[in-house]
Amino acid sequence: LTPQAGSAMTLSSADYALLRTPLCDRLGIDLPILQAGMGRSIGSPTTPQLVAAVSEAGGLGCLGASGLDPSEISAAIREVRQRTQRPFAVNVLLPSGLEPTENSTRTALRLAIRRDYPNHSRFVDSLCDRYGLSRREVNREGTVSPAFALEQAEAVIDQQVPALVVGLGDPTQLVARAHQAGMFVVGMAGSLRNAQRQRLSGVDAIVAQGYEAGGHTGTVANFALLPQIVDSMAPLPIIAAGGIADGRGLVAALAYGAQGVWCGTAFLLATETDLSESHRRQLIAARSEDMTISRCYTGKPSRIVHNVVVDDWAASGLEPLPMPYQGVLMDDFTAAAMAAERWDLVNNPGGQIAGMLTRQRGAGKIVGRMASEAVATIRALGRLPAGAGSCFPAADAERAKVE
Ligand SMILES: Cc1cc2nc3c(=O)[nH]c(=O)nc-3n(C[C@H](O)[C@H](O)[C@H](O)COP(=O)(O)O)c2cc1C
């Protein structure tokens, strides 16, 4: 494939060749830069415009579909296809550790929370009182539940999207169907153990997501996680995620043996994302230390911009409800806060690298800049005096502990 006009313009064909990995060939993309699928409990910050812009620039755009219902997913995929002929991906969240209940509509879950978890209901009431918000109820039935997630994934498979990326859970039940539809399937892992589970499910590649990452995250930082997953999963292609927002990060990931990077936070301020002005300002102001982990909004540890609700939750002493209950509980609060335009009370996920975000740019520019910085970094490393640094593991490098 030749680079498209309007992509990273300053790159020569030698530059593209320098960054090309086998994963690029598998996916039919020019650059090993993948934009992470980012969802919200309702809607998606990753608009079709964003997805198409990243793919047009030579990377792989990804629609974060976790907060979209199946008909919205189909419509968004159609829109991406109207905007680009290039490959793209869709991401769904498949929650693990839950019974696939038939009746897991939002209404049913809300009633169950009121009945079984009165202290949690009172917590949301007290938040509304404290911040002067009128109570609201989200009037969409879909929520992060196994049954709904499977319906979402089916909508993606029906559309034969080039790549499906599955977050959180075990994609075994989807892989064969997606492969029959000719799709490339990627699983996400935050630990070596998770990566082993993902490999057993038959995925084609694994995203190794470090602790630095925005959104739901594990406990192992990338410099420790990545080499272990690369070594023990070979020859499966590994894609590095967490804390990567420039060309140096891309080169570091490639040096560890990753075949691409999966960047979320780096794209949050892209002009094409569906992020409120207020959340954009929060991210520009944030230092890395402000990107805190809380289970408040979804029930699972998620890295977000620190806000007062995180403190209120910690002070309540309550245990988070399992997914999807905590999300249903807090979505109603979020709806109340949004109706009052209190974005400071709304979940704003992002990674530690948000500390480096200062400017809004078009997504194509973000991809192009990352690629040209990576090329410059590789060339600079090549000019280092012999022995000053090496991109390659020593022959007797430590090996990962595979169970
Ligand atoms: C706003 C936001 C929303 C996210 N939503 C999802 C999601 O719906 N599904 C998923 O698999 N990962 C999600 N993630 C995690 C990303 O897929 C990715 O692993 C992460 O952003 C990489 O780390 P970085 O933010 O440091 O680039 C989200 C991340 C952010 C910042």
Side-chain angles (χ1 to χ4, degrees):
L1 278 172
T2 47
Q4 296 283 295
S7 64
M9 298 83 63
T10 52
L11 296 181
S12 67
S13 47
D15 295 338
Y16 278 99
L18 199 58
L19 297 179
R20 196 167 192 88
T21 66
L23 181 72
C24 296
D25 297 326
R26 295 279 297 276
L27 288 169
I29 57 178
D30 296 329
L31 295 166
I33 300 171
L34 289 69
Q35 165 250 313
M38 294 182 276
R40 269 201 296 259
S41 50
I42 297 166
S44 173
T46 54
T47 59
Q49 289 91 322
L50 176 76
V51 177
V54 172
S55 291
E56 279 292 300
L60 189 80
C62 181
L63 178 76
S66 62
L68 303 178
D69 66 34
S71 64
E72 291 171 323
I73 293 174
S74 305
I77 292 171
R78 277 196 298 276
E79 193 180 337
V80 174
R81 285 197 158 122
Q82 279 158 11
R83 290 175 179 273
T84 184
Q85 312 262 303
R86 312 273 293 173
F88 64 97
V90 180
N91 166 264
V92 293
L93 283 182
L94 207 57
S96 55
L98 274 179
E99 291 299 312
T101 46
E102 289 293 314
N103 192 6
S104 52
T105 61
R106 194 177 286 275
T107 305
L109 294 173
R110 187 183 284 123
L111 286 173
I113 293 168
R114 288 207 186 119
R115 186 190 60 226
D116 301 334
Y117 304 103
N119 291 340
H120 288 75
S121 295
R122 276 196 286 277
F123 170 69
V124 166
D125 289 338
S126 73
L127 283 183
C128 288
D129 291 345
R130 183 167 314 144
Y131 299 111
L133 307 176
S134 313
R135 289 220 58 169
R136 293 248 165 177
E137 285 189 354
V138 173
N139 61 6
R140 294 161 56 103
E141 282 305 338
T143 179
V144 179
S145 69
F148 185 64
L150 287 177
E151 284 173 36
Q152 291 174 312
E154 290 300 330
V156 182
I157 295 171
D158 283 349
Q159 297 267 352
Q160 297 180 298
V161 164
L164 170 68
V165 184
V166 183
L168 289 183
D170 176 355
T172 306
Q173 51 192 325
L174 296 174
V175 173
R177 290 244 309 104
H179 280 163
Q180 270 164 16
M183 296 165 64
F184 189 87
V185 188
V186 182
M188 299 201 33
S191 68
L192 189 52
R193 188 186 294 260
N194 275 343
Q196 282 165 323
R197 278 202 212 111
Q198 293 290 340
R199 178 167 60 182
L200 284 177
S201 76
V203 294
D204 303 297
I206 294 175
V207 170
Q209 194 220 42
Y211 172 76
E212 309 89 323
H216 293 126
T217 184
T219 55
V220 187
N222 241 334
F223 260 49
L225 182 70
L226 197 50
Q228 296 189 66
I229 293 191
V230 166
D231 286 354
S232 50
M233 294 296 121
L236 210 58
I238 304 303
I239 302 157
I244 301 166
D246 63 20
R248 291 169 299 179
L250 169 55
V251 174
L254 296 177
Y256 270 125
Q259 294 196 20
V261 290
W262 169 257
C263 304
T265 302
F267 286 99
L268 281 175
L269 294 185
T271 46
E272 297 90 344
T273 56
D274 174 17
L275 223 63
S276 69
E277 277 308 309
S278 171
H279 275 185
R280 286 173 188 270
R281 278 197 297 277
Q282 266 190 352
L283 286 163
I284 289 173
R287 298 158 304 164
S288 289
E289 304 90 296
D290 298 323
M291 308 310 293
T292 192
I293 292 183
S294 173
R295 295 171 69 178
C296 167
Y297 285 97
T298 70
K300 285 200 188 288
S302 176
R303 190 179 296 286
I304 63 177
V305 178
H306 181 267
N307 66 19
V308 286
V309 179
V310 168
D311 292 338
D312 293 334
W313 171 254
S316 76
L318 292 169
E319 283 297 312
L321 301 178
M323 226 175 182
Y325 292 89
Q326 185 81 10
V328 169
L329 176 80
M330 292 304 291
D331 283 352
D332 287 347
F333 170 72
T334 298
M338 283 169 67
E341 299 198 22
R342 289 292 307 268
W343 291 96
D344 55 318
L345 306 175
V346 174
N347 187 22
N348 188 10
Q352 291 185 330
I353 202 70
M356 282 184 72
L357 293 185
T358 54
R359 265 187 279 171
Q360 313 198 47
R361 292 187 172 88
K365 286 225 169 83
I366 295 173
V367 172
R369 181 168 165 257
M370 199 181 282
S372 38
E373 277 174 6
V375 169
T377 304
I378 292 171
R379 300 236 154 90
L381 284 171
R383 287 194 296 272
L384 283 177
S390 164
C391 291
F392 304 103
D396 61 348
E398 296 290 339
R399 311 308 296 177
K401 281 169 257 169
V402 182
E403 285 161 32

PDB file of all heavy atoms in Angstrom, residues 314-332:
ATOM      1  N   ALA A 314     -14.538   7.819  48.027  1.00  0.00           N
ATOM      2  CA  ALA A 314     -13.575   7.231  48.970  1.00  0.00           C
ATOM      3  C   ALA A 314     -14.058   7.470  50.413  1.00  0.00           C
ATOM      4  O   ALA A 314     -13.982   6.573  51.257  1.00  0.00           O
ATOM      5  CB  ALA A 314     -12.194   7.837  48.751  1.00  0.00           C
ATOM      6  N   ALA A 315     -14.593   8.666  50.671  1.00  0.00           N
ATOM      7  CA  ALA A 315     -15.029   8.995  52.034  1.00  0.00           C
ATOM      8  C   ALA A 315     -16.267   8.190  52.438  1.00  0.00           C
ATOM      9  O   ALA A 315     -16.517   7.986  53.631  1.00  0.00           O
ATOM     10  CB  ALA A 315     -15.328  10.494  52.130  1.00  0.00           C
ATOM     11  N   SER A 316     -17.036   7.727  51.465  1.00  0.00           N
ATOM     12  CA  SER A 316     -18.280   6.997  51.792  1.00  0.00           C
ATOM     13  C   SER A 316     -17.975   5.646  52.432  1.00  0.00           C
ATOM     14  O   SER A 316     -18.817   5.078  53.125  1.00  0.00           O
ATOM     15  CB  SER A 316     -19.115   6.778  50.521  1.00  0.00           C
ATOM     16  OG  SER A 316     -18.546   5.724  49.740  1.00  0.00           O
ATOM     17  N   GLY A 317     -16.798   5.111  52.169  1.00  0.00           N
ATOM     18  CA  GLY A 317     -16.443   3.800  52.718  1.00  0.00           C
ATOM     19  C   GLY A 317     -17.199   2.653  52.063  1.00  0.00           C
ATOM     20  O   GLY A 317     -17.093   1.507  52.502  1.00  0.00           O
ATOM     21  N   LEU A 318     -17.937   2.925  51.006  1.00  0.00           N
ATOM     22  CA  LEU A 318     -18.712   1.858  50.347  1.00  0.00           C
ATOM     23  C   LEU A 318     -17.802   1.007  49.466  1.00  0.00           C
ATOM     24  O   LEU A 318     -16.808   1.502  48.922  1.00  0.00           O
ATOM     25  CB  LEU A 318     -19.807   2.479  49.469  1.00  0.00           C
ATOM     26  CG  LEU A 318     -20.942   3.189  50.204  1.00  0.00           C
ATOM     27  CD1 LEU A 318     -21.794   3.991  49.215  1.00  0.00           C
ATOM     28  CD2 LEU A 318     -21.809   2.167  50.950  1.00  0.00           C
ATOM     29  N   GLU A 319     -18.175  -0.257  49.310  1.00  0.00           N
ATOM     30  CA  GLU A 319     -17.487  -1.123  48.360  1.00  0.00           C
ATOM     31  C   GLU A 319     -18.127  -0.909  46.994  1.00  0.00           C
ATOM     32  O   GLU A 319     -19.358  -0.794  46.897  1.00  0.00           O
ATOM     33  CB  GLU A 319     -17.695  -2.598  48.746  1.00  0.00           C
ATOM     34  CG  GLU A 319     -16.847  -3.072  49.899  1.00  0.00           C
ATOM     35  CD  GLU A 319     -15.360  -2.997  49.568  1.00  0.00           C
ATOM     36  OE1 GLU A 319     -14.982  -3.466  48.472  1.00  0.00           O
ATOM     37  OE2 GLU A 319     -14.598  -2.470  50.396  1.00  0.00           O
ATOM     38  N   PRO A 320     -17.331  -0.862  45.924  1.00  0.00           N
ATOM     39  CA  PRO A 320     -17.967  -0.705  44.606  1.00  0.00           C
ATOM     40  C   PRO A 320     -18.828  -1.915  44.267  1.00  0.00           C
ATOM     41  O   PRO A 320     -18.490  -3.044  44.628  1.00  0.00           O
ATOM     42  CB  PRO A 320     -16.787  -0.590  43.649  1.00  0.00           C
ATOM     43  CG  PRO A 320     -15.609  -1.100  44.393  1.00  0.00           C
ATOM     44  CD  PRO A 320     -15.869  -0.949  45.850  1.00  0.00           C
ATOM     45  N   LEU A 321     -19.934  -1.661  43.593  1.00  0.00           N
ATOM     46  CA  LEU A 321     -20.783  -2.764  43.139  1.00  0.00           C
ATOM     47  C   LEU A 321     -20.111  -3.405  41.922  1.00  0.00           C
ATOM     48  O   LEU A 321     -19.369  -2.744  41.199  1.00  0.00           O
ATOM     49  CB  LEU A 321     -22.161  -2.232  42.741  1.00  0.00           C
ATOM     50  CG  LEU A 321     -22.933  -1.500  43.842  1.00  0.00           C
ATOM     51  CD1 LEU A 321     -24.265  -0.975  43.306  1.00  0.00           C
ATOM     52  CD2 LEU A 321     -23.170  -2.450  45.014  1.00  0.00           C
ATOM     53  N   PRO A 322     -20.394  -4.682  41.687  1.00  0.00           N
ATOM     54  CA  PRO A 322     -19.785  -5.302  40.497  1.00  0.00           C
ATOM     55  C   PRO A 322     -20.329  -4.668  39.222  1.00  0.00           C
ATOM     56  O   PRO A 322     -21.427  -4.132  39.207  1.00  0.00           O
ATOM     57  CB  PRO A 322     -20.205  -6.772  40.609  1.00  0.00           C
ATOM     58  CG  PRO A 322     -21.360  -6.790  41.554  1.00  0.00           C
ATOM     59  CD  PRO A 322     -21.249  -5.591  42.430  1.00  0.00           C
ATOM     60  N   MET A 323     -19.520  -4.754  38.172  1.00  0.00           N
ATOM     61  CA  MET A 323     -19.974  -4.310  36.860  1.00  0.00           C
ATOM     62  C   MET A 323     -21.142  -5.194  36.446  1.00  0.00           C
ATOM     63  O   MET A 323     -21.068  -6.400  36.663  1.00  0.00           O
ATOM     64  CB  MET A 323     -18.828  -4.506  35.863  1.00  0.00           C
ATOM     65  CG  MET A 323     -18.594  -3.346  34.990  1.00  0.00           C
ATOM     66  SD  MET A 323     -17.123  -3.686  33.996  1.00  0.00           S
ATOM     67  CE  MET A 323     -17.034  -2.174  33.114  1.00  0.00           C
ATOM     68  N   PRO A 324     -22.222  -4.731  35.894  1.00  0.00           N
ATOM     69  CA  PRO A 324     -22.472  -3.353  35.460  1.00  0.00           C
ATOM     70  C   PRO A 324     -23.240  -2.503  36.481  1.00  0.00           C
ATOM     71  O   PRO A 324     -23.649  -1.389  36.148  1.00  0.00           O
ATOM     72  CB  PRO A 324     -23.332  -3.565  34.221  1.00  0.00           C
ATOM     73  CG  PRO A 324     -24.159  -4.763  34.545  1.00  0.00           C
ATOM     74  CD  PRO A 324     -23.286  -5.651  35.404  1.00  0.00           C
ATOM     75  N   TYR A 325     -23.440  -3.024  37.721  1.00  0.00           N
ATOM     76  CA  TYR A 325     -24.291  -2.307  38.678  1.00  0.00           C
ATOM     77  C   TYR A 325     -23.745  -0.911  39.008  1.00  0.00           C
ATOM     78  O   TYR A 325     -24.492   0.065  39.047  1.00  0.00           O
ATOM     79  CB  TYR A 325     -24.439  -3.119  39.972  1.00  0.00           C
ATOM     80  CG  TYR A 325     -25.240  -4.380  39.783  1.00  0.00           C
ATOM     81  CD1 TYR A 325     -24.629  -5.569  39.417  1.00  0.00           C
ATOM     82  CD2 TYR A 325     -26.615  -4.391  39.988  1.00  0.00           C
ATOM     83  CE1 TYR A 325     -25.355  -6.730  39.235  1.00  0.00           C
ATOM     84  CE2 TYR A 325     -27.355  -5.551  39.813  1.00  0.00           C
ATOM     85  CZ  TYR A 325     -26.706  -6.713  39.435  1.00  0.00           C
ATOM     86  OH  TYR A 325     -27.432  -7.855  39.250  1.00  0.00           O
ATOM     87  N   GLN A 326     -22.427  -0.828  39.302  1.00  0.00           N
ATOM     88  CA  GLN A 326     -21.866   0.469  39.685  1.00  0.00           C
ATOM     89  C   GLN A 326     -22.064   1.496  38.554  1.00  0.00           C
ATOM     90  O   GLN A 326     -22.363   2.659  38.805  1.00  0.00           O
ATOM     91  CB  GLN A 326     -20.377   0.323  40.025  1.00  0.00           C
ATOM     92  CG  GLN A 326     -19.733   1.588  40.555  1.00  0.00           C
ATOM     93  CD  GLN A 326     -20.000   1.839  42.042  1.00  0.00           C
ATOM     94  OE1 GLN A 326     -20.521   0.985  42.747  1.00  0.00           O
ATOM     95  NE2 GLN A 326     -19.658   3.021  42.499  1.00  0.00           N
ATOM     96  N   GLY A 327     -21.906   1.047  37.322  1.00  0.00           N
ATOM     97  CA  GLY A 327     -22.088   1.949  36.184  1.00  0.00           C
ATOM     98  C   GLY A 327     -23.526   2.449  36.103  1.00  0.00           C
ATOM     99  O   GLY A 327     -23.771   3.637  35.880  1.00  0.00           O
ATOM    100  N   VAL A 328     -24.464   1.543  36.308  1.00  0.00           N
ATOM    101  CA  VAL A 328     -25.880   1.945  36.265  1.00  0.00           C
ATOM    102  C   VAL A 328     -26.160   2.941  37.381  1.00  0.00           C
ATOM    103  O   VAL A 328     -26.825   3.969  37.182  1.00  0.00           O
ATOM    104  CB  VAL A 328     -26.799   0.700  36.378  1.00  0.00           C
ATOM    105  CG1 VAL A 328     -28.249   1.107  36.600  1.00  0.00           C
ATOM    106  CG2 VAL A 328     -26.657  -0.158  35.128  1.00  0.00           C
ATOM    107  N   LEU A 329     -25.623   2.657  38.569  1.00  0.00           N
ATOM    108  CA  LEU A 329     -25.798   3.564  39.711  1.00  0.00           C
ATOM    109  C   LEU A 329     -25.279   4.959  39.363  1.00  0.00           C
ATOM    110  O   LEU A 329     -25.967   5.970  39.541  1.00  0.00           O
ATOM    111  CB  LEU A 329     -25.017   3.002  40.907  1.00  0.00           C
ATOM    112  CG  LEU A 329     -24.989   3.856  42.172  1.00  0.00           C
ATOM    113  CD1 LEU A 329     -26.286   3.688  42.950  1.00  0.00           C
ATOM    114  CD2 LEU A 329     -23.794   3.489  43.064  1.00  0.00           C
ATOM    115  N   MET A 330     -24.034   5.014  38.852  1.00  0.00           N
ATOM    116  CA  MET A 330     -23.372   6.310  38.652  1.00  0.00           C
ATOM    117  C   MET A 330     -23.811   6.999  37.360  1.00  0.00           C
ATOM    118  O   MET A 330     -23.714   8.223  37.261  1.00  0.00           O
ATOM    119  CB  MET A 330     -21.852   6.136  38.681  1.00  0.00           C
ATOM    120  CG  MET A 330     -21.305   5.763  40.047  1.00  0.00           C
ATOM    121  SD  MET A 330     -21.748   6.934  41.363  1.00  0.00           S
ATOM    122  CE  MET A 330     -20.783   8.370  40.888  1.00  0.00           C
ATOM    123  N   ASP A 331     -24.291   6.230  36.377  1.00  0.00           N
ATOM    124  CA  ASP A 331     -24.746   6.888  35.135  1.00  0.00           C
ATOM    125  C   ASP A 331     -25.885   7.862  35.426  1.00  0.00           C
ATOM    126  O   ASP A 331     -25.977   8.930  34.809  1.00  0.00           O
ATOM    127  CB  ASP A 331     -25.227   5.843  34.115  1.00  0.00           C
ATOM    128  CG  ASP A 331     -24.065   5.127  33.433  1.00  0.00           C
ATOM    129  OD1 ASP A 331     -22.912   5.532  33.635  1.00  0.00           O
ATOM    130  OD2 ASP A 331     -24.330   4.137  32.721  1.00  0.00           O
ATOM    131  N   ASP A 332     -26.775   7.487  36.354  1.00  0.00           N
ATOM    132  CA  ASP A 332     -27.880   8.399  36.674  1.00  0.00           C
ATOM    133  C   ASP A 332     -27.335   9.685  37.300  1.00  0.00           C
ATOM    134  O   ASP A 332     -27.813  10.781  37.009  1.00  0.00           O
ATOM    135  CB  ASP A 332     -28.888   7.728  37.619  1.00  0.00           C
ATOM    136  CG  ASP A 332     -29.731   6.677  36.894  1.00  0.00           C
ATOM    137  OD1 ASP A 332     -29.713   6.655  35.646  1.00  0.00           O
ATOM    138  OD2 ASP A 332     -30.414   5.882  37.581  1.00  0.00           O
TER     139      ASP A 332
END
